Each structure stands twice: as C-alpha cells, then as structure tokens.
Amino acid sequence: MHQVMGIVNVTPDSFSDGGAFLDPRAAIAHGYRLAAEGAAILDVGGESTRPGAQPVDEGTELRRVVPVLEGLAQSGAQLSIDTFKPAVARAALERGATLVNDVTGLRRAPELAALVAEHGAQLCIMHSVGDPATMQDDPRYEDVVGEVRAFLERQLAFAIAEGVPRERILLDPGIGFGKSIEHNLTLLQRLAEIVDIGCPVLVGTSRKGFLGAIAGRDVQQRLGGTIATNVLALERGATVFRVHDVAPVADALAVAAATLAAKWPTKTS
Ligand code: HH2
C-alpha cells in the first residue's frame, strides 16, 4: 500500500520549479494535473526550504497558499500543507487540509501538534537540522541513522502526548535537510531502521541535489535518480512518496510494488 504525494510549490524560489506556479491559477491547474496523474495527496507549500532559502513572513505565505487550497478543494486528492507556521497550518486546516507537513519536525513550533490534534488531522514529522539558510554548511553526525531515528522517536512521543493519535503520524528522514550526499545515501540504504519505528514513512528525494551530483545532471534532468531512490525506498518499506513528476514515479512504483508482491493488481492507496 503506497501513495504518491504531488508537490505544489506556490513560491518564486523553490529549487526546481520556483516561479512556475506562483500565480494561484497556475498552481491550481498544476494540482489538478498531478491528481489526474495519480497523486493521492497534494502538498501545498508557500515557502521554499531549499538550502540557502530566505524566510517568508506569515502574511505572504498565507496569501500564497490559501487561494490554492481553496481551488484544490474539489480535486479529489487529500490536501497537505507544507509549513511550520501555526497560523498557516490553521488556515489550511480550516480550508480542508487534513495533513500538516512540518519540515522542522515540531522544532520551530511545538504547538503545531496540539493544533493538528484539535482538527483530527495527520502530521508529518520530518528530521532536519538548523535553518534552510545554513543547514548545508558542513553537516555532521556520529551515526546519521541513529540520530535521525532518535529525533523522530522523541518528536513522535511528544506529538502523541499532545493528543495526535499515533496512527495519524508520518515520519520522514528529511533527505537533503542538513545532510551530505553520504548521509542521504546512508539514510536511504538503511531506511528500514526508520520504518521499524512503526509509523508510515514518507520520503522526499525528488530532483534533489545529491541525485544531480551522482548522475551529473542539472535540476530538470533528475527523473531517473528520483525514480531509482523512490523504488528503493518502497522496497525498504516507505509508503508515501513526495515528488514533482507524479506520472512517471507513480508508474515506477506501481510496477515495483507489483514485482515485490509478484501480484497484480496491487492496491496503490
Ligand atoms: N522536501 C522539500 C520540501 N518539503 N517535506 C517533506 N516531508 N519531505 C521532504 O523531503 C521535503 C518536504 C524540498 O523540496 P521542494 O518543495 O521541491 O523545494 P523547495 O523547498 O525549494 O520549495
């Protein structure tokens, strides 16, 4: 059982599609396209978290995402809000979002957990270190998998204590967020140790820099690397796949899932 999460970046500066969907009509049309291509979830974000990105104020983020969430209400896909700001999460939850995707894993605003609980929504807790502005400045770990796992377990326990039922929580190792190429590869190789915590695991490798570094590709040419990493993550037990290119990744995952099960049709959501 797996789900594809399509990315809807309503930003001028996202690393791979910045500016393409800043106009709400373009973002809504893009969301509908991704849903038609097989995205069960649409992740709407109004602030880039790429390395070096500058913060966006709450008002700007709200103005970007609210019309898009409203426009996607009838898309048939589950709506997710990619934010760590409680006011943005609240506005999204009031407009039909049922998943809050927090790339700071409740570090920036622990009160997000109670807000999610109050709305009966789902929460994605992602591992990251520091801020986007500085997170790629020489990241270091003694044991990257152990440290990411310990962080996720700690934040999971906190979210449960704040009233979010365990079955509504997703965990994410945060590929590319304060990690070297080797850190990303180690986390993907040993993803089963994160899956072992017992919550559904979300992975986001789509078009990220380490894929380009390995294959020698610029940002628009990383679909092959995106597919390879998502298929391997599926094999290691991940269940939600956050991607820009929904159709080809959905096809790859469907074939990979059928192969792993030696069975078709396999349930895809
Ligand atoms: N990656 C990005 C943003 N949000 N959320 C989760 N849960 N996991 C991820 O790996 C993740 C995420 C970065 O990708 P993108 O949205 O394409 O870029 P930008 O942050 O520049 O908008």
Side-chain angles (χ1 to χ4, degrees):
M1 202 168 97
H2 65 267
Q3 292 183 310
V4 176
M5 171 186 261
I7 301 170
V8 182
N9 281 328
V10 197
T11 57
D13 58 342
S14 286
F15 76 94
S16 79
D17 55 4
F21 311 112
L22 189 55
D23 170 15
R25 282 164 307 182
I28 293 163
H30 186 59
Y32 268 90
R33 197 175 317 124
L34 297 184
E37 289 179 2
I41 310 167
L42 295 173
D43 189 36
V44 178
E47 174 170 13
S48 172
T49 48
R50 74 181 155 76
Q54 292 306 310
V56 163
D57 67 78
E58 194 176 283
T60 304
E61 194 176 334
L62 280 166
R63 274 193 298 282
R64 290 179 183 169
V65 299
V66 164
V68 175
L69 289 161
E70 287 173 349
L72 290 173
Q74 305 303 321
S75 66
Q78 179 183 4
L79 297 183
S80 165
I81 179 71
D82 187 345
T83 192
F84 49 80
K85 296 191 186 78
V88 177
R90 182 181 291 282
L93 291 164
E94 285 167 359
R95 286 164 180 83
T98 54
L99 170 57
V100 175
N101 175 22
D102 177 8
V103 299
T104 79
L106 302 174
R107 285 185 299 121
R108 283 283 281 271
E111 62 269 33
L112 269 182
L115 182 65
V116 167
E118 184 193 313
H119 284 81
Q122 287 179 283
L123 174 67
C124 178
I125 299 173
M126 196 194 83
H127 174 272
S128 56
V129 284
D131 293 314
T134 56
M135 68 188 176
Q136 288 305 103
D137 300 348
D138 195 21
R140 282 169 197 256
Y141 302 84
E142 294 259 313
D143 162 19
V144 67
V145 179
E147 288 170 46
V148 168
R149 180 176 169 142
F151 170 86
L152 293 175
E153 285 180 320
R154 199 164 58 241
Q155 301 305 77
L156 170 65
F158 172 78
I160 293 170
E162 291 293 299
V164 186
R166 190 187 172 90
E167 55 277 12
R168 297 206 184 125
I169 300 175
L170 298 117
L171 302 177
D172 183 339
I175 299 297
F177 283 82
K179 280 118 188 160
S180 68
I181 295 177
E182 284 79 9
H183 294 143
N184 291 327
L185 297 175
T186 304
L187 283 164
L188 288 167
Q189 184 202 45
R190 292 170 51 194
L191 195 67
E193 293 173 49
I194 305 297
V195 171
D196 195 49
I197 298 171
C199 289
V201 168
L202 186 155
V203 284
T205 65
S206 193
R207 299 181 184 171
K208 285 185 178 171
F210 75 113
L211 305 175
I214 294 169
R217 297 290 185 193
D218 72 25
V219 73
Q220 296 306 329
Q221 299 175 315
R222 297 179 185 163
L223 180 56
T226 299
I227 289 174
T229 46
N230 279 287
V231 166
L232 287 167
L234 175 83
E235 196 264 341
R236 285 154 171 74
T239 47
V240 182
F241 303 86
R242 183 181 182 278
V243 295
H244 302 87
D245 305 288
V246 168
V249 176
D251 285 1
L253 290 171
V255 173
T259 307
L260 289 169
K263 214 162 136 200
W264 184 81
T266 45
K267 251 179 104 62
T268 56
S269 62

